[in-house]
Every structure is written in C-alpha cells, then in structure tokens.
Amino acid sequence: MGSDLHYPEEAPAHMVSIDGFWMDRSPVTNAQFLKFVKATGHVTLAEQPADPAQYPDALPELLVPSSIVFVPPPGPIGTGDPYRWWQYIAGANWRHPEGPGSSIKSRDHHPVVHVAHADAAAYAAWSGKQLPSETEWERAAWGGREGAEYAWGEELHPGGQPVANTFQGDFPHHNSLLDGYAGTSPVGVFPANGYGLFDTIGNVWELTDSWYGHHPRQADEELAAEGSSGCCAGAADAREASIDPTSQHGTMPRKVVKGGSYLCAPSYCRRYRPAARMAQGIDTSTSHMGFRCIVRL
C-alpha cells in the first residue's frame, strides 16, 4: 500500500493485511442515488443551508445551499491558484451538477456527484452495504496487479489510447477530449480492472470511510473505522488527527478520497493511480467526487 515515488502523502509504501470483501462494480450512479432519495427522502448536505454556528465569519450569501463546481477559465492562468477554476455555486447539487439550469437528464448512468461523506454513508446504510476503508479501496483498485506505475500497467495511455476518464490538454483551461469526455462519463465505458471493477481510476474521486492521516498510523485507523463506525476511542482519535487548520478545510475533520477524477492531468494532478490519496472535509461536496460501496465477509 502507498508509494515512495510520487506525492509525499503516499509514503511510505508498506504492507497491510485485510479480510476479503465484495465491491460495487462501479461508482454509485445518478439513477441509483435517485432510487435511494425517493425511498428515504434524503436531502444531501449540498441541498441544505450551512449552519452559521459552524462558520461564524461567513457571509450570509455563502450559507445558502451550495456546492463546489469546476468552471474552466477562458485561457491560460497557470496552476498556482485553484480558486480560479473552482467556484462555490448556490443551487449546485447532485440534481444540478453545474448549478441552476443544469440537470442530470440523460446522465442516469453517470456517477452521482456533489455528495458529502454523510450522504454516501446514508446511501451505504440504506443499501445494506458499507463505505470502503482506504486500504480496501486501494487493494480493489489494483485489480490484482500491484507494483506497476498505473492500475493497468506502465503507460498512462497504452498504445496512445486513454483507459480512464482523466484530463488531457492544458489544465485547467483546455481539455483536448482525447478520452471523449469533458466531465463525468457513464460508468463502464472504459475497461474494467483485473477484478472486474470499472472507474476505480479517473471519472470521479471516491470517498472512503477512513480518516485522513499519515500512513504509519493507517493500520490502527483501519481497525477503528471497520470495527465501530466512529464510536470507539481509536476512531475518535483518528477523526481529531485528521484536522489540519492550515489546510483549505480549516477545522473540519477530513476523510480520505481515492482514485483521481476527470480533472487529473499530468501537468497538475498525477493522482490517477491506486496509491494516490487526498483529504476531503466532511462538510464539502464537489462536482468531481462520488463513491462506491462494499460488503465485508
């Protein structure tokens, strides 16, 4: 698990043992999430106004139901300031991925996006499943291969052909669409990995149930996450340790997300690899983040 060859948060590469599990073949789709919402009446975090007590310094207009949307700039702007292509848009949610006026019509088989960790956990519980730990997710993403540069081998585009939905071109302003998609793609249009799983790499980042932390503590954290859903001292400590006030998530606890997305580009985000990882605040949803579920033995 992990890598010593890329981003520092992936190191050190280390051995972890886990039990067997079944995993959804693809990320949860809009059609599947709609079925859940109709059955339960669930309202996602992005569809609710933010609690002013949690954000005492926020402007009132920033507390309305909103989510974070990728909006490509009109021309080259460099890659130093992500706030130049990410916008907090009122009315953006899983039904309206680009904000008011957009819809998921004709996107039934695209991954659901604009879901926060609590939304994914609610869906998993309703479906009789669980969210994977980071270890479980990474094990599945390799598809039985392990040790290569990518989940499918040593080339990003084998034979010049994309095998995952990522970003080609000059990020963030120009996507050459070599893979055919500017945003999310229907699940299953790219080849499955060795375990028969689709889109473990690219398309959307996928939420896990692991609190973000340094890899040396990961094994103990997994035991806490898998055994208790956060009720024990180990999980509480991991939750607290996931907070980094210097990050863009401030004092909000963070979960691990895996797999990269349609916005990962060689010039900016080389996280289209199983070992790659990123931290995501539990109060945040975006237009490039989804999830899938597992069932443990």
Side-chain angles (χ1 to χ4, degrees):
M1 184 177 180
S3 171
D4 297 321
L5 304 177
H6 293 277
Y7 295 101
E9 68 269 15
E10 301 171 21
H14 59 289
M15 298 296 295
V16 179
S17 296
I18 55 174
D19 291 328
F21 57 94
W22 290 273
M23 177 174 262
D24 289 344
R25 286 171 62 86
S26 68
V28 172
T29 64
N30 285 317
Q32 291 171 316
F33 199 77
L34 176 60
K35 184 178 179 181
F36 156 65
V37 169
K38 286 183 175 179
T40 64
H42 182 83
V43 179
T44 63
L45 192 68
E47 296 172 284
Q48 304 174 46
D51 181 358
Q54 286 191 320
Y55 310 97
D57 298 324
L59 297 173
E61 57 266 29
L62 297 179
L63 298 175
V64 300
S66 308
S67 193
I68 298 172
V69 178
F70 174 74
V71 180
I77 58 170
T79 58
D81 183 8
Y83 294 101
R84 299 187 70 178
W85 56 83
W86 286 115
Q87 295 184 19
Y88 194 57
I89 296 182
N93 54 53
W94 73 275
R95 298 178 188 270
H96 307 288
E98 290 79 48
S102 66
S103 78
I104 55 173
K105 185 178 181 179
S106 77
R107 297 193 223 179
D108 285 355
H109 300 297
H110 286 235
V112 66
V113 293
H114 294 296
V115 285
H117 179 266
D119 304 316
Y123 177 95
W126 170 79
S127 64
K129 303 176 184 179
Q130 300 89 37
L131 294 179
S133 68
E134 179 182 6
T135 305
E136 290 166 328
W137 193 99
E138 187 167 327
R139 171 67 171 168
W142 277 113
R145 179 181 291 272
E146 294 188 28
E149 179 74 357
Y150 306 105
W152 48 83
E154 298 299 333
E155 296 181 66
L156 177 58
H157 298 148
Q161 295 299 313
V163 291
N165 181 2
T166 60
F167 192 103
Q168 307 89 44
D170 298 322
F171 186 87
H173 71 284
H174 173 64
N175 190 336
S176 69
L177 304 182
L178 179 64
D179 61 13
Y181 298 96
T184 59
S185 54
V187 300
V189 299
F190 294 96
N193 72 6
Y195 292 149
L197 306 177
F198 294 102
D199 295 334
T200 54
I201 302 300
N203 211 357
V204 292
W205 282 97
E206 296 186 20
L207 288 152
T208 75
D209 209 27
S210 292
W211 295 109
Y212 187 84
H214 297 299
H215 266 325
R217 350 176 358 263
Q218 197 69 26
D220 290 339
E221 178 204 324
E222 302 301 351
L223 293 175
E226 293 169 20
S228 70
S229 299
C231 63
C232 66
D237 290 345
R239 174 189 170 98
E240 185 66 22
S242 76
I243 298 171
D244 179 4
T246 66
S247 75
Q248 69 267 39
H249 302 289
T251 58
M252 194 60 57
R254 303 176 297 166
K255 291 286 187 176
V256 176
V257 294
K258 300 282 281 184
S261 78
Y262 62 85
L263 295 177
C264 283
S267 63
Y268 178 67
C269 171
R270 293 174 287 105
R271 291 184 170 88
Y272 30 60
R273 296 169 293 102
R277 60 204 300 260
M278 193 171 71
Q280 182 70 18
I282 60 173
D283 66 335
T284 305
S285 60
T286 72
S287 59
H288 72 335
M289 193 162 300
F291 70 101
R292 77 178 75 205
C293 301
I294 66 167
V295 173
R296 298 188 177 100
L297 291 174

